[in-house]
Amino acid sequence: MNWSDPSAIGYPALFGGVLLGSVIPIVPTGAVVGAAAAVATTTDHLSLPLVIVLAVLGAYLGDVLTFAVPRFGSEALLRWVERRQQADRLTKGREQFARRGWQLVVIGRLVPAGRIPVLLAAGTLSYPWRKFLPASLVACVLWAVAYSLLGIISGGIFDSPLIATLLATVLVLLVTVAMTLISKLRRKPERTGGPR
């Protein structure tokens, strides 16, 4: 491997960063994908289709691993969760996954801080693999394309890969903050509404 070639570092960093951030949310995966797409748009160092494919693969593998942890340890984890949750909330969670598990998996991937709780709940509540795997793949493709578009936009505005990467990162962070605020505002009426 030629380590002087930026793609030799870029592709493994992209895949590894997305995979790591999908299992342990310490890496801002959207910013990694947006920055890689910006570099692909402004230079010949990275291929945009390969950036998207690697982002999808890293996210998908990370989501499958996150889902598998409670799924394989389901009995012990379920008992632990049951002791800390009201029985009606667990029943409601099972019913929601039975009715609209696909939607929950897809939306959980796209909403900031929604993915891990959804995946852990799905695994703990024994959501079927045959439904989870295609739903997760669709979610990861939508997610990778969305964040790549932010990188493409920044790369289209600036010819400099450094400026485009910085702009892509800022755009991703702004979108994440906006989505988090919208999500909080939508949840607020649910908490305050209803009979007292």
Side-chain angles (χ1 to χ4, degrees):
M1 183 178 284
N2 179 7
W3 291 104
S4 63
D5 179 8
S7 66
I9 298 168
Y11 292 128
L14 167 66
F15 177 78
V18 171
L19 174 60
L20 178 63
S22 294
V23 175
I24 306 166
I26 56 171
V27 176
T29 54
V32 170
V33 174
V39 170
T41 304
T42 56
T43 71
D44 295 331
H45 298 308
L46 299 176
S47 159
L48 185 59
L50 194 51
V51 164
I52 294 171
V53 167
L54 289 173
V56 169
L57 289 175
Y60 188 61
L61 183 57
D63 285 3
V64 168
L65 289 170
T66 304
F67 173 77
V69 168
R71 192 73 168 84
F72 287 132
S74 201
E75 281 302 315
L77 192 57
L78 185 56
R79 281 194 305 272
W80 182 80
V81 169
E82 284 174 342
R83 285 194 302 266
R84 285 157 179 74
Q85 294 292 327
Q86 298 170 352
D88 61 330
R89 290 186 76 181
L90 287 174
T91 303
K92 188 176 179 181
R94 281 189 184 90
E95 289 170 1
Q96 285 183 344
F97 271 100
R99 276 189 319 228
R100 52 191 197 112
W102 258 78
Q103 292 172 335
L104 293 173
V105 171
V106 171
I107 291 168
R109 172 39 98 169
L110 299 175
V111 173
R115 182 181 55 79
I116 288 183
V118 166
L119 294 177
L120 293 177
T124 303
L125 299 172
S126 299
Y127 188 65
W129 282 100
R130 64 185 165 71
K131 292 182 179 180
F132 170 75
L133 292 174
S136 180
L137 182 59
V138 168
C140 290
V141 168
L142 291 174
W143 172 84
V145 168
Y147 283 104
S148 292
L149 283 173
L150 292 174
I152 292 167
I153 290 167
S154 67
I157 296 172
F158 296 100
D159 290 333
S160 165
L162 179 61
I163 294 173
T165 301
L166 290 173
L167 180 60
T169 304
V170 168
L171 284 174
V172 167
L173 294 174
L174 288 174
V175 167
T176 302
V177 167
M179 289 175 66
T180 302
L181 289 173
I182 291 168
S183 177
K184 283 183 181 178
L185 290 173
R186 290 185 72 199
R187 273 188 264 140
K188 201 177 236 183
E190 291 173 12
R191 286 192 205 127
T192 58
R196 295 184 180 214

